[in-house]
Amino acid sequence: MDPEVIRTILNRIMTGDYTDPLPAISGAGPVLARIAGYRSPLLFVTARPYPGPISGWMSALVGVEPAAVQVVATGTYLAKTQVLLESGIRCFVEDRLETCYRLREEGIEPVLYRQPWNREVHPFTEVGSWRELSELIAF
């Protein structure tokens, strides 16, 4: 694939500059709704530069009012840790392996969501589906 096409696609995803909503990973909605019953607002921390359409998309996916979803766009993976620590979060699901190492260094236990780009040997708990993640949570 042409590198410029890849850059354009990634830029549109990062900025929210697209018309068709991205499909959620199967099972995400029910698990997130269950978590939302224990923690409100439901906190999402992203390295994207701004939340764009994520807040509305997430509230619709989970089936809650927009105020029950908090999206913090840090602009960089390096800033995620501080947001999580300030929010009292001690465990975080992440799909970027490098971020998992940083989270652990700061006392946050990462759970790596398996993706094609993070297929290296690592010491973290790993899940490949929302069902697997829900089995790790003591509801």
Side-chain angles (χ1 to χ4, degrees):
M1 186 178 254
D2 180 356
E4 187 56 35
V5 171
I6 294 170
R7 266 191 297 281
T8 299
I9 291 169
L10 291 176
N11 186 51
R12 285 185 177 178
I13 290 171
M14 293 295 286
T15 63
D17 183 24
Y18 51 86
T19 54
D20 291 333
L22 295 173
I25 296 173
S26 178
V31 174
L32 289 169
R34 194 163 180 201
I35 293 170
Y38 292 91
R39 187 192 195 289
S40 185
L42 195 54
L43 176 65
F44 294 90
V45 182
T46 178
R48 293 177 183 198
Y50 64 93
I54 297 172
S55 296
W57 183 80
M58 291 304 297
S59 66
L61 173 67
V62 178
V64 297
E65 293 297 317
V69 175
Q70 178 185 7
V71 178
V72 178
T74 63
T76 173
Y77 79 95
L78 297 169
K80 282 184 169 184
T81 304
Q82 189 61 34
V83 171
L84 295 169
L85 289 172
E86 288 173 0
S87 299
I89 303 297
R90 297 290 172 231
C91 185
F92 188 72
V93 180
E94 174 64 52
D95 67 356
R96 186 173 186 273
L97 187 55
E98 294 83 359
T99 304
C100 287
Y101 285 102
R102 180 164 177 84
L103 291 170
R104 181 169 280 168
E105 287 173 5
E106 298 295 327
I108 299 168
E109 189 57 37
V111 174
L112 183 68
Y113 198 98
R114 188 178 310 118
Q115 295 289 356
W117 55 83
N118 61 28
R119 301 292 73 224
E120 296 175 24
V121 175
H122 60 81
F124 308 110
T125 299
E126 181 177 284
V127 296
S129 70
W130 281 90
R131 181 189 54 74
E132 286 180 34
L133 178 62
S134 71
E135 291 172 0
L136 296 177
I137 302 171
F139 288 104

